[in-house]
Amino acid sequence: TMSLREHALSLFRGAVGSVRPAPMLKRALKLQENGCPQLLVKGQAFPVKRDLYLVGFGKAVLGMAAAAEEILGDHLTRGIINVPLGIQESLQRAGMQEMLLKPQSKIQVIEGAKNNLPDAEALKGAAAILELAKGLTADDLLLVLISGRGGSALLPAPIPPILLKEKEKLTKVLASRGAAIQELNIVRKSLSMLKGGGLAQLAHPAQVVSLILSDVIGDPLDIIASGPTAASSHTVQDCLQILTKYNLLHNLPKSVEMVLSSSPTKPTAPENYSHVSNIILGSNSLALEEAKHQAEGLGYAALVLSAAVQGEVSCVATLYCELIQLVCLGFASHGEGPLSDELRGNLLQLAAELQIPGLDLDEFLQALQRLGPDRPVCILAGGETTVQLQGTGKGGRNQELALRVGLGLHKALATGASSPQGRCEILFLSGGTDGQDGPTEAAGAFCSPGLVAEALQEGLDVEAFLRNNDSYTFFSQFQGGRHLLVTGLTGTNVMDIQAILIRAM
């Protein structure tokens, strides 16, 4: 029989495979040639009256553009894409030729945003995209490829007189104070010419069709890559509120103050976007559906907890640990009783604290109870946690989450409160779908209840590594790095995926 680790790896790979750019684009995009040529996107038809242009930005856009150019053929007039620095070389090295443009491509590639920060190259690419959009007519069609991760950093066009370095510094300070990605994007949009629907407005009156790979919880169109083709649901007030929350309102650069004070207080009316169609092609939910399908194929009773898991990594780790205890109790036929009531109470309280959008935990726990003890259980979840940095170590949110879950399971065993854990085989996996977790070459990590005790035998103190946010160093040193999830670049990104696999021993 395959190990739980092999199963988890197979589920993770299946989930990522379902949102890879080329297959995803080929499923959704067709060009109909008979009569007046039409672009068909998921069954919606868009007439190609005159010229067809393509622009794009984000980590996964190179692969999307290569697939799109193959589908569009001679109908494509010209394209410009902004992609992360070094990505062509990385894909070449990884042997991912299908993600690269052909030598005679009509699409110009600009690489920028080193370390996912807007820079002069990204600014140059954004200016070229801005110029292209401005020159379009009512008979043109603009195909916009958006991959959330990195999309925002690759489309910097600060509203004059704001300088790029001023905007960048402000974003950095916000991030260091723990601002969520949604908050960062609201601030960026308020200071940008292309974000917050700016690109769509500049391209008017051309027909704009956006194909989007979402890396944001709940797939809000106006937040993914800061919503360049979506009506913004935020105003300058929201931006000011965020700056106040993080104590930044009173030391802003003069240029930022100037732009914010003259910004319109109302968002652009939705009818001004009647020339735009925004279509989500890939998301965390789609990836989780594929993982669930595969888990069932492997004989698991599989449930998806949520595609919107968010919050501080320690709190999320506790939620997963309590869920694991509850499943183990079920396996030990102690599904009812004071301990399971206590665990349920704890879980409901944690879920309330984490405020996971759209999660009905009560309903989920009932579904869990109905599974019965005769089949192994797979719980899947996705989203994006946050880490409050306290140390100077190396790691990423997925590795830290796996390490914290390992520690939580160890502590539960040590208190003897969860003897049923001893009768179950348990594996937890957390990984980033882009194949990178923080500044490391790992996508994430695996853990099991024995991890902490085994680490102690090797002289490794898990809690000390966690205090220093040094999960990568821990996993590298522990058992020769066996517990690291290393996939290499995937060419896509729909946030993170977690899998809990449990079977009776």
Side-chain angles (χ1 to χ4, degrees):
T1 57
M2 283 168 79
S3 67
L4 290 189
R5 180 198 168 94
E6 287 168 314
H7 282 172
L9 198 52
S10 157
L11 300 183
F12 183 78
R13 290 208 166 116
V16 170
S18 70
V19 289
R20 277 189 189 267
M24 190 180 67
L25 222 86
K26 285 173 183 166
R27 278 197 305 269
L29 184 68
K30 306 267 182 286
L31 188 81
Q32 208 171 33
E33 303 254 21
N34 48 358
C36 167
Q38 299 193 86
L39 204 55
L40 298 177
V41 187
K42 284 190 163 180
Q44 287 185 62
F46 302 98
V48 180
K49 295 176 199 159
R50 203 181 81 174
D51 290 339
L52 176 55
Y53 293 93
L54 179 152
V55 297
F57 26 89
K59 249 188 193 172
V61 154
L62 195 60
M64 289 168 85
E69 186 163 31
E70 209 175 297
I71 295 162
L72 303 173
D74 293 338
H75 287 280
L76 180 64
T77 308
R78 178 176 165 232
I80 303 169
I81 58 171
N82 262 15
V83 296
L85 187 69
I87 195 159
Q88 293 178 98
E89 196 194 328
S90 303
L91 292 170
Q92 191 97 46
R93 267 208 316 269
M96 294 164 83
Q97 258 51 43
E98 76 283 3
M99 300 245 185
L100 297 167
L101 295 168
K102 301 282 181 283
Q104 291 78 39
S105 173
K106 291 179 187 168
I107 300 171
Q108 178 191 359
V109 181
I110 296 164
E111 291 193 359
K114 188 180 178 186
N115 301 328
N116 202 21
L117 292 168
D119 55 19
E121 284 308 300
L123 192 62
K124 190 176 96 182
I129 288 172
L130 192 146
E131 281 310 308
L132 186 147
K134 266 195 341 206
L136 300 179
T137 71
D139 288 336
D140 293 324
L141 193 151
L142 179 65
L143 188 63
V144 184
L145 307 176
I146 300 176
S147 132
R149 175 64 71 222
S152 205
L154 284 159
L155 202 65
I159 300 169
I162 299 173
L163 299 173
L164 183 61
K165 60 171 191 271
E166 293 174 321
K167 189 175 155 189
E168 197 180 326
K169 189 176 170 197
L170 181 57
T171 312
K172 258 187 178 162
V173 174
L174 272 169
S176 72
R177 293 192 182 180
I181 183 77
Q182 283 84 340
E183 295 176 314
L184 290 176
N185 280 351
I186 290 168
V187 173
R188 283 177 184 146
K189 279 195 302 191
S190 309
L191 309 176
S192 169
M193 288 169 77
L194 291 171
K195 299 182 171 99
L199 177 60
Q201 292 305 314
L202 281 167
H204 186 271
Q207 170 75 59
V208 177
V209 180
S210 271
L211 308 182
I212 302 166
L213 183 63
S214 168
D215 72 323
V216 182
I217 282 172
D219 310 331
L221 292 170
D222 62 321
I223 297 284
I224 303 162
S226 306
T229 57
S232 176
S233 56
H234 301 103
T235 63
V236 70
Q237 281 323 108
D238 299 307
C239 174
L240 295 170
Q241 254 173 340
I242 292 161
L243 294 171
T244 306
K245 176 179 168 182
Y246 294 103
N247 270 336
L248 289 168
L249 198 56
H250 300 299
N251 43 7
L252 292 173
K254 284 280 172 281
S255 58
V256 173
E257 274 180 16
M258 219 169 104
V259 165
L260 290 176
S261 64
S262 61
S263 295
T265 48
K266 285 193 174 59
T268 316
E271 56 269 23
N272 295 6
Y273 289 86
S274 57
H275 64 299
V276 183
S277 295
N278 287 305
I279 299 157
I280 300 231
L281 290 193
S283 66
N284 193 274
S285 311
L286 285 165
L288 288 175
E289 271 313 303
E290 179 57 32
K292 178 175 188 274
H293 176 67
Q294 297 220 2
E296 287 165 350
L298 290 167
Y300 287 85
L303 288 175
V304 173
L305 172 71
S306 165
V309 173
Q310 58 182 19
E312 230 295 302
V313 64
S314 54
C315 198
V316 174
T318 309
L319 178 85
Y320 287 145
C321 288
E322 306 262 326
L323 261 179
I324 290 167
Q325 314 280 2
L326 198 58
V327 175
C328 290
L329 274 180
F331 273 137
S333 310
H334 301 313
E336 297 302 321
L339 183 55
S340 71
D341 290 346
E342 185 191 329
L343 286 169
R344 271 195 198 89
N346 291 351
L347 280 164
L348 291 167
Q349 195 182 335
L350 274 168
E353 279 171 39
L354 285 166
Q355 296 182 326
I356 295 168
L359 172 63
D360 184 340
L361 189 64
D362 220 6
E363 194 182 303
F364 179 82
L365 294 176
Q366 283 170 25
L368 201 54
Q369 222 170 349
R370 290 193 293 271
L371 292 181
D374 45 349
R375 279 168 75 196
V377 170
C378 169
I379 296 172
L380 294 157
E384 197 159 279
T385 56
T386 44
V387 177
Q388 287 282 352
L389 287 177
Q390 255 116 38
T392 56
K394 193 175 181 186
R397 55 181 183 264
N398 289 292
Q399 293 163 77
E400 178 144 338
L401 178 58
L403 197 50
R404 285 187 182 279
V405 168
L407 182 63
L409 294 175
H410 170 77
K411 284 183 170 171
L413 267 175
T415 58
S418 72
S419 52
Q421 228 196 87
R423 294 179 215 158
C424 287
E425 197 186 348
I426 299 160
L427 185 94
F428 175 80
L429 159 77
S430 186
T433 53
D434 61 349
Q436 285 179 310
D437 187 32
T440 74
E441 85 279 9
F446 301 89
C447 79
S448 53
L451 175 118
V452 175
E454 289 164 20
L456 281 171
Q457 288 174 345
E458 290 189 26
L460 299 172
D461 175 357
V462 166
E463 294 191 61
F465 281 101
L466 282 170
R467 276 195 298 277
N468 194 30
N469 298 112
D470 204 11
S471 52
Y472 175 73
T473 306
F474 167 81
F475 281 115
S476 302
Q477 292 177 5
F478 176 58
Q479 294 184 355
R482 244 194 96 239
H483 288 68
L484 282 171
L485 170 67
V486 182
T487 60
L489 272 184
T490 63
T492 189
N493 192 324
V494 293
M495 298 184 289
D496 305 332
I497 284 177
Q498 283 98 41
I500 297 170
L501 303 185
I502 304 174
R503 62 184 175 198
M505 282 186 355

